Amino acid sequence: MLLRCSKSSRKTVSLFCRYISSSSSTEKHSCKVLVVGGGTGGCALTAKFSRTLKKSDLIIIEPSSEHYYQPLFTLVGAGIDKIEDTKKNEKDILPENCTWIKQKAAHFDLNKNIVTTANGSQIEYDYLVVSTGIIPRYEMIPGLVESLQNPKIGVCSIYSLKYVQNVFPTMQTLKSGNAIFTFPASPVKCPGAPQKICYLTDDYLRKEGKRDNVNIIYNTSLPVIFGVKKYADALWKICKERNITVNTRKNLISINPQNSEATFQNLDQPEEKTTISFSMLHVVPPMSTTESVRTNKELCNEAGFVEVDKSTLQHVRFPNVFALGDCSSSPNSKTAAAAAAQTEVVFENLEAVMKGKKMPLKYDGYASCPLVTGYNKCILAEFDYDLNPLETFPFSQDRELWSMFILKKNVIPTIYWSLMMNGHWNGPALFRRIMHLDLFKKRQ
Ligand code: UQ1
């Protein structure tokens, strides 16, 4: 029939076919549980649900083909690990028994229970888990992106796949002058990392015999070096011993790449601005949730984080919605260890909601931060919402130990890939209870 058509009607038919094939990606789906975001929390939770739900009932939306183990980016920055060692294919991590939609979430309609993706597909859900993480916002500091793009300027950052590989070369070319390390005025993922890379630079320069010619300065927007007093005391001591200058309430506001100068604002006296020249500037940019999350008033609090009850992790307005990991409003330190502990709470509580039962678990705010303080030492900080230490091992963990460095570098990545990504790691709470002989204490 097509053969007998005129040229113009053949064109119409071909346009129609093209429309059909392009609109096939703007499909409609429906499922019982929809997980948005295939990072640490999203993958771990999907693995858990893949054991209780049918493939068609469990959908995960994630646009990236690759999954990076970001906790090792600090060690990549110090030249200890290679970026390839932190990478796996998303398809190899996600369980067989789930449906992966490789698209970006563009809109959440919490009243209609529909998430729309960037190319228009609609996914209707019964229950939603938002685990979209937080993203670095390099563009928010004038002069930063331009500086990062020219490796000769000395500006670097471990917080991005794009820039992390330039951190070690910057350390290697550093000979004299100021090496400045920043911490922004926003929540950040792994709040220990901005100072870990500072200690690693100090240790590297000592090993190379170049430390005497370099001033190391840690400028943080926070009023403290670390939120938990026990570890803050240990870190202040290290900074004093190693001649690292720590300035609190100092926020990086702009960079002049031409003169290699950085301008900081005193957050206690906003009119006070100081400009300082640098040979190396390690920048931790402000961070926020992704655009489709932070602009959704029903989903988020004022600060743009998914507004959940800090104990149950259930949304405060929509009982069929939960948040997991860095995008959540729960006021814990944003680390993979926190996401591990939250995964169990979200899984058990959501299963209970699905069965109309009372939610059984409460998240205590557990987070941990292996504070790498040199090329072979680390302080393992572990704490709860009240910033009280919650240590796994039966000794005081405020010491720099080689064993904790090995735990960070080798043991935890193995736990992550083989246990957590398969839904079998809820953080070290069980080991803590065994080591502290309180196994029979009631779980909360
Ligand atoms: C942890 O569970 C975890 O998540 C996988 C991390 O993320 C990378 C950590 O850094 C740490 C320290 C833990 C806690 C684990 C132990 C064994 C104390």
Side-chain angles (χ1 to χ4, degrees), residues 30 179 219 226 234 291 344 433:
S30 71
N219 276 356
F226 199 76
E291 199 184 347
E344 183 188 30
R433 299 207 314 275

Side-chain angles (χ1 to χ4, degrees), residues 15-16 40 53 83 168 195 237 243-244 301 347 352 361 382 405 423 434 442:
L15 278 174
F16 180 69
T40 297
L53 294 174
I83 194 76
F168 191 51
Q195 60 185 295
K237 199 161 158 262
N243 199 19
I244 296 171
N301 63 11
F347 177 71
L361 293 189
E382 294 180 278
F405 182 83
I434 294 170
K442 196 170 176 286

Side-chain angles (χ1 to χ4, degrees), residues 69 71 336-337 340 366 368 370 380 382 392-393 407 412 415-416 420 425 427-428:
Y69 178 70
Y366 173 82
S368 83
L380 180 63
E382 294 180 278
T392 300
F393 298 98
L407 186 87
I412 298 173
I415 290 176
Y416 182 87
M420 189 168 172
W425 180 251

Side-chain angles (χ1 to χ4, degrees), residues 152 207 242 247 252-253 264 325 388 393 401 410 441:
K152 289 197 189 110
K207 280 209 254 288
R242 297 188 197 158
N247 298 311
L252 176 70
I253 52 169
F264 291 86
N388 289 322
F393 298 98
L401 294 171
N410 303 107
K441 253 196 194 166

